[in-house]
Amino acid sequence: MNQDTLAGDWKQLKGKLRQRWGKLTNDDLDVIAGKRDELIGKIQEKYGEAREEVERQVRELEDSHDSKWDDVATDSGMPGGTEPVR
C-alpha cells in the first residue's frame, strides 16, 4: 500500500514526533504536513539514518499511535500521483 499522507490528528502526532526525533523543528513538521515520505526524508537528513531504519521506526510510531496514512501521493497532492489536467 502506498501510504503517503497522514490521516487523523496531525497536531497530536506532531508532539509524538518531536518526542521521538527532537531535532525536528516545528517548521520542519509544518512543511511535512503529514506526508510520510517527507517525514522519512527529513529524519534521514537530520539523523543520517538509513531509509529502511527510519521507515521501520515510523511504522512503530504509527502502530503505537494507531494512525494510518492515506493513499495521496506527495509529489502532486493528487490521488494516485497524477498531475492535474492543465
Side-chain angles (χ1 to χ4, degrees):
M1 179 188 321
N2 180 12
Q3 299 175 331
D4 294 315
T5 304
L6 180 67
D9 190 355
W10 175 239
K11 287 183 181 183
Q12 181 181 13
L13 186 59
K14 280 179 15 176
K16 290 184 185 253
L17 292 170
R18 288 291 310 274
Q19 285 178 342
R20 173 64 184 87
W21 293 285
K23 292 181 184 178
L24 293 175
T25 66
N26 285 330
D27 287 342
D28 291 334
L29 295 171
D30 288 343
V31 169
I32 291 165
K35 295 182 221 67
R36 190 173 197 267
D37 282 344
E38 296 278 335
L39 172 63
I40 290 168
K42 187 56 76 173
I43 294 168
Q44 281 184 278
E45 176 186 318
K46 299 272 185 171
Y47 288 89
E49 296 183 21
R51 182 171 185 86
E52 294 79 18
E53 176 60 18
V54 174
E55 287 174 342
R56 183 190 65 75
Q57 292 175 16
V58 169
R59 273 193 308 274
E60 286 177 2
L61 180 70
E62 178 184 47
D63 291 344
S64 72
H65 186 338
D66 194 34
S67 60
K68 301 298 174 208
W69 304 85
D70 287 337
D71 288 332
V72 178
T74 60
D75 58 341
S76 67
M78 299 295 290
T82 58
E83 291 295 326
V85 177
R86 298 185 198 277

